[in-house]
Amino acid sequence: AVVSTQSTGEQDIKGYQITQDKENIRRANQMLGDHFHDCGDLSNATKYYQKSRDYGSTVTHTLEFLLNFIKVNVYHFHWRSVSNYVEKAEHIDETDVRVLRRIQLAKGLTEMSLKDYNQAAKTFLNIPCDSWNDEIISPLTLLIYTTLCALASFKRKDIQKLLIENNNFKQYLDMQPTIRNCILSFYNRRFNIGLQSLDMLKREFKLDLFLSPHIDDLYFFIRSESMKQYFAPYLCCDMVKMAAAFNTDVDSLELELMALVGGEGVKIDSFNKVLRAVKRNEKEQVRRDVIELCNTLQFKTQELIVKTAILKAGLVIKSSAPNIDEKPSTSSVRGGGPL
């Protein structure tokens, strides 16, 4: 069937070339490109999509070519090429929701591939839920990508504002109550329940084509961000209770915290198994600010003294060009003195 479709399509192209029918040549090449894409033959799909480009004559044809090349390069994991074609497609004025969604999907996947999870989540959140048909990923898959990227990079207030209160995203959440309950668990600081839900889904997520390379990083960032949110309201925290909240033992938690709290203003009391917030020495900070201000003022003062000395010494280079704003003197008028 594959060979017959290819031969039929090529025969049609030869017939259209004889009659110089450019539009049908373009459509036939695009049809063969779609056929090979559906068969998984991305090399031939790229070849025929490229041929269809040569016979394009309108902005719509250019946009179709860009979307086809975006689709092929996504499955090739050529994210730099995807980014370039997305940028070109965004410069075309288009109002079709389906076209805009495909561009945003490719953009979000590119950002996720570059591990810019915060921006990827924001891009995915702007994708409308209606009129979903024949896209690179399914709505449920988009929900999973958005949730994981958001939990790994959003602060608690952003989770409420951008996820829970987002009317467009609520339509996706209604498809999968498990994901919705997981988000609410993290927002309500029930981290043990949220992490258990994610652990149950981890093996399924690892089978995903685009998500599997990022699963370990995303889970690490989600757990790290959850620990920061857990400790944020307190000055002192019992590590035994914290270990229970994160489904682990105290020793393992201590090792995680050692890698997490560097430069975060937190100290670990290993003997008493307590996590303490380090109080800022405000007097020392004020002293440093004053010293920095004095140094800045001293530098500016010295700069002014040097400029003044240069002016007094006459070391300023004056322009030899005449000033066009000055009026010519009467002596310069042809004929000598005044009339």
Side-chain angles (χ1 to χ4, degrees), residues 13-288:
I13 291 173
K14 290 179 180 179
Y16 297 141
Q17 286 176 338
I18 294 174
T19 59
Q20 298 290 315
D21 191 343
K22 292 184 178 181
E23 177 58 21
N24 280 326
I25 294 174
R26 186 190 67 81
R27 289 181 179 178
N29 279 304
Q30 185 169 328
M31 182 195 69
L32 283 173
D34 292 338
H35 169 70
F36 283 110
H37 175 270
D38 294 339
C39 294
D41 189 347
L42 299 180
S43 297
N44 275 323
T46 302
K47 181 179 72 173
Y48 283 104
Y49 284 145
Q50 183 66 49
K51 289 182 178 179
S52 71
R53 179 188 187 182
D54 299 334
Y55 295 93
S57 58
T58 66
V59 175
T60 303
H61 296 164
T62 302
L63 186 59
E64 287 179 359
F65 161 76
L66 290 173
L67 291 175
N68 288 330
F69 255 56
I70 287 171
K71 179 172 59 177
V72 171
N73 281 281
V74 163
Y75 287 114
H76 269 306
F77 299 102
H78 295 165
W79 300 113
R80 182 172 296 180
S81 298
V82 173
S83 179
N84 292 334
Y85 289 123
V86 165
E87 185 176 354
K88 292 178 182 178
E90 285 181 328
H91 284 89
I92 297 177
D93 188 15
E94 180 61 46
T95 58
D96 190 345
V97 175
R98 293 173 296 178
V99 172
L100 295 175
R101 176 169 46 239
R102 290 175 184 177
I103 295 172
Q104 291 299 307
L105 278 173
K107 184 177 181 180
L109 289 172
T110 303
E111 291 164 345
M112 188 174 73
S113 71
L114 299 174
K115 299 188 177 182
D116 188 356
Y117 301 127
N118 185 276
Q119 189 58 47
K122 292 178 180 178
T123 300
F124 288 141
L125 284 168
N126 292 326
I127 297 176
C129 186
D130 55 335
S131 303
W132 198 286
N133 183 34
D134 193 24
E135 305 295 351
I136 298 174
I137 58 176
S138 67
L140 178 57
T141 304
L142 177 66
L143 170 63
I144 294 170
Y145 291 179
T146 309
T147 300
L148 293 179
C149 290
L151 291 176
S153 60
F154 282 4
K155 301 297 182 184
R156 188 168 181 267
K157 62 179 181 179
D158 294 330
I159 292 177
Q160 177 185 8
K161 181 180 179 180
L162 300 178
L163 264 69
I164 298 175
E165 297 179 356
N166 187 323
N167 292 327
N168 178 62
F169 191 64
K170 284 180 181 179
Q171 300 179 59
Y172 292 102
L173 289 175
D174 292 339
M175 302 178 188
Q176 183 56 269
T178 304
I179 300 295
R180 180 183 58 201
N181 294 335
C182 180
I183 294 174
L184 292 175
S185 297
F186 280 101
Y187 177 73
N188 294 321
R189 299 184 186 277
R190 298 197 299 265
F191 300 111
N192 56 339
I193 298 176
L195 291 171
Q196 283 178 354
S197 300
L198 289 180
D199 287 338
M200 292 174 61
L201 297 169
K202 188 172 183 179
R203 294 181 63 184
E204 180 180 343
F205 292 163
K206 282 194 170 183
L207 299 176
D208 186 271
L209 179 64
F210 303 112
L211 186 61
S212 56
H214 306 280
I215 280 295
D216 293 334
D217 287 340
L218 286 168
Y219 271 60
F220 172 77
F221 290 137
I222 291 172
R223 190 174 180 85
S224 299
E225 186 62 34
S226 299
M227 288 182 178
K228 293 177 183 178
Q229 293 183 20
Y230 181 92
F231 181 69
Y234 308 110
L235 293 175
C236 183
C237 178
D238 186 350
M239 291 174 59
V240 176
K241 294 182 180 179
M242 188 175 180
F246 286 92
N247 304 320
T248 186
D249 57 88
V250 178
D251 294 333
S252 299
L253 176 65
E254 185 173 347
L255 292 175
E256 288 186 73
L257 291 173
M258 287 173 63
L260 181 63
V261 301
E264 294 291 337
V266 179
K267 286 187 176 180
I268 301 173
D269 187 344
S270 298
F271 181 77
N272 295 312
K273 300 302 179 184
V274 173
L275 191 63
R276 303 181 191 276
V278 178
K279 295 182 180 180
R280 291 183 59 188
N281 190 338
E282 296 185 1
K283 290 184 179 180
E284 179 64 22
Q285 185 63 39
V286 171
R287 188 184 70 84
R288 291 178 180 177

